[in-house]
Amino acid sequence: MILFLINIIKASVKVTQTKASLIKTFYVGIALTGLVGFSQLSMASGSHHAEQTEHTEIKGPNGGKLLSDEDFSVEVTIFESGIPPEMRIFAYQNETEIVPEKVELTVTLDRLGGVQDIIQFTPERNYLVGDKEVIEPHSFDVTIKAQFQGKSYHWHYDNHEGRAEISDRLIKLSAIETENITPQTLEFTDTLFGVISVPQNKKFQLHAPYPGLVEKINVNVGDKVVKGQRLATLHNTQTLQNYYLESPTNGEISGVFSNTGDRADENAILEIIDLSEVWVDLSAFPENIERLSKGQNVIVYDLHHHERVKTKIDYIAPQMTGGHIARARAVMKNPDGHWRPGMHIKADIEIENRPVDLAVKVNAIQSFRDMPVVFAKFGNTFEVRMVQLGESDGEYVEVLGGIAPGTEYVTGNSFLLKAEVLKDGASHDH
């Protein structure tokens, strides 16, 4: 066998270095390294069949996958430099290029989910070019059928990328979560910061209606009071009679400005605030104020995200402050007293709601070959889907293409699948 190969090399060296002889030398050199292994089956009813495996894979002169059956070979390439990916196939007989017009060829790509791409070919220059874009991912089972000089040829091989198969047990242990891709309504928001304040109509200062003396103060700062409760006893120095200051509302004593024996004059004696409602005073920059309007929904958070309340914008100041900040305001119920005056908060203003045909969760997006992808699930098999993305509201992102409606995709712990795919290799070699 070795002598036979040496004789082939000698014969090829004597031949003038034409393109055909270069191809011959290329084949023989690979054969000597033990990388060439043509899988041949005997002819049956004029039809030739060959199964190409990973162990017999070799490259052709154009860097593509080379498939051979007796003296006929095809080289499969995917060209994607500056144009959408297309399949180009070169044909050879006895290692010499064949004029592409002499070959009829069809390629079938079977993808996960039962999707099948059937590609027909026409001659172009020195190769056959497919009539369809080879969409990403380039992961499929390939079947090639060719006709040349009245004989039929057939090859089948796997070309998988970005794919991982995981058992039910590991899926459960990994806490992989999925959902189906569906239409969504994206909610676009602006985030503003602000502070809680006491509504002007919920702050009460109590004065003596007559000149006199303060006989007794019945409350202290911080005391809770109810409407009609006696807060202080006063003495009218003109009538020499005592009377009482009563609370005009339910609330809390926020200020005591007099003591027993003080004169009761025009100054306030007590202050009460009612915190059953509070104001949310928001600061908006010029780019924010253009998008604000009364009636917009607002979700208010404390800075620790312990509480959140949904309310509405009810006032936008007509003037900017000296710091070029506009003031906007919302009113918020405060039944448990969580929202205290002076507390700093942040608020998400719902600027726009926009329905989209398809959207995926933001945390489902991973990167594969520098492209955004999600992992589609087909039983126990997961495979990347290169997605074209639109706008995002922070929770969902619009999908403009790359995945079919209704596809089940991974929403939780998708990074584990990326690690699994990269562990198995993520080559994109055609």
Side-chain angles (χ1 to χ4, degrees):
M1 179 64 181
I2 295 176
L3 290 175
F4 172 72
L5 293 173
I6 292 173
N7 288 334
I8 292 176
I9 294 174
K10 289 179 178 179
S12 65
V13 171
K14 292 177 183 179
V15 178
T16 304
Q17 293 295 307
T18 62
K19 186 174 182 180
S21 64
L22 287 171
I23 294 173
K24 282 186 177 180
T25 305
F26 174 83
Y27 277 75
V28 175
I30 293 179
L32 283 174
T33 64
L35 295 178
V36 174
F38 295 147
S39 196
Q40 301 179 356
L41 296 178
S42 59
M43 182 170 29
S45 302
S47 179
H48 295 252
H49 302 273
E51 188 76 16
Q52 194 79 17
T53 68
E54 289 185 5
H55 300 292
T56 62
E57 180 176 340
I58 60 173
K59 297 290 185 182
N62 299 285
K65 188 179 186 72
L66 193 65
L67 307 167
S68 299
D69 189 356
E70 294 186 349
D71 62 348
F72 180 68
S73 304
V74 293
E75 181 185 359
V76 183
T77 68
I78 294 181
F79 186 82
E80 50 186 333
S81 179
I83 62 172
E86 64 182 21
M87 190 169 282
R88 296 180 179 180
I89 294 184
F90 301 81
Y92 308 99
Q93 185 180 33
N94 291 321
E95 297 93 40
T96 302
E97 278 191 356
I98 299 170
V99 177
E101 285 81 358
K102 295 183 178 181
V103 179
E104 294 182 8
L105 195 135
T106 301
V107 172
T108 302
L109 307 179
D110 288 295
R111 300 175 182 268
L112 286 176
V115 176
Q116 189 176 76
D117 299 334
I118 299 176
I119 305 176
Q120 305 294 337
F121 289 80
T122 55
E124 181 179 278
R125 299 175 63 181
N126 63 329
Y127 52 80
L128 293 153
V129 61
D131 64 351
K132 290 183 179 179
E133 177 184 347
V134 184
I135 63 172
E136 297 278 10
H138 295 167
S139 183
F140 28 64
D141 295 339
V142 183
T143 301
I144 299 177
K145 294 181 180 179
Q147 292 280 338
F148 176 64
Q149 293 184 339
K151 295 181 180 179
S152 298
Y153 299 87
H154 177 275
W155 293 274
H156 179 83
Y157 64 92
D158 297 337
N159 190 91
H160 296 165
E161 69 168 1
R163 183 182 291 192
E165 188 166 343
I166 304 177
S167 68
D168 289 333
R169 184 181 70 86
L170 290 179
I171 290 174
K172 184 176 181 179
L173 288 175
S174 302
I176 291 173
E177 300 174 355
T178 65
E179 67 178 44
N180 291 78
I181 182 170
T182 60
Q184 295 289 340
T185 297
L186 302 184
E187 297 180 353
F188 297 98
T189 62
D190 271 0
T191 298
L192 302 181
F193 291 87
V195 65
I196 300 297
S197 66
V198 181
Q200 288 294 328
N201 61 342
K202 298 292 184 179
K203 185 184 295 185
F204 305 88
Q205 289 192 339
L206 278 61
H207 297 260
Y210 315 106
L213 298 173
V214 177
E215 290 283 331
K216 185 178 181 182
I217 301 294
N218 300 326
V219 291
N220 294 304
V221 172
D223 286 352
K224 303 292 184 182
V225 296
V226 297
K227 185 176 181 180
Q229 180 177 334
R230 292 180 179 181
L231 307 179
T233 303
L234 304 180
H235 179 73
N236 188 331
T237 54
Q238 294 178 345
T239 65
L240 303 179
Q241 293 180 337
N242 288 347
Y243 63 94
Y244 305 103
L245 284 182
E246 296 180 349
S247 176
T249 184
N250 297 336
E252 179 178 318
I253 302 297
S254 57
V256 176
F257 310 118
S258 295
N259 293 311
T260 299
D262 287 349
R263 293 190 62 83
D265 49 26
E266 69 275 7
N267 295 321
I269 297 173
L270 297 168
E271 182 182 72
I272 302 171
I273 55 174
D274 177 6
L275 296 179
S276 60
E277 282 186 349
V278 293
W279 280 357
V280 183
D281 291 326
L282 300 170
S283 299
F285 292 100
E287 63 269 22
N288 303 121
I289 203 69
E290 294 175 357
R291 296 189 290 267
L292 295 183
S293 61
K294 289 181 64 174
Q296 287 175 328
N297 290 327
V298 184
I299 298 179
V300 180
Y301 307 81
D302 61 28
L303 295 185
H304 302 289
H305 284 249
H306 291 158
E307 295 283 343
R308 54 180 283 170
V309 174
K310 188 171 184 177
T311 181
K312 293 182 182 293
I313 295 286
D314 78 336
Y315 172 76
I316 299 174
Q319 294 181 328
M320 308 289 282
T321 68
H324 301 288
I325 294 175
R327 300 299 182 189
R329 187 177 68 212
V331 179
M332 191 165 62
K333 298 293 184 182
N334 187 32
D336 300 324
H338 174 78
W339 306 99
R340 300 173 181 274
M343 178 187 288
H344 289 271
I345 56 88
K346 68 176 183 177
D348 291 337
I349 317 296
E350 294 182 7
I351 302 301
E352 177 190 4
N353 291 339
R354 186 166 68 83
V356 296
D357 293 335
L358 292 177
V360 296
K361 286 190 173 179
V362 170
N363 58 9
I365 303 295
Q366 295 292 334
S367 175
F368 180 80
R369 297 198 344 255
D370 297 325
M371 290 183 283
V373 299
V374 297
F375 282 90
K377 182 179 185 293
F378 302 90
N380 291 90
T381 303
F382 300 82
E383 189 175 82
V384 296
R385 288 293 179 267
M386 286 72 171
V387 286
Q388 294 85 53
L389 302 178
E391 292 185 285
S392 173
D393 65 358
E395 181 180 6
Y396 281 91
V397 57
E398 180 183 12
V399 174
L400 303 175
I403 189 169
T407 300
E408 186 178 3
Y409 74 100
V410 178
T411 59
N413 288 336
S414 58
F415 66 93
L416 298 175
L417 291 167
K418 178 179 178 179
E420 184 70 19
V421 166
L422 294 178
K423 181 184 72 175
D424 292 338
S427 64
H428 187 60
D429 201 9
H430 302 303

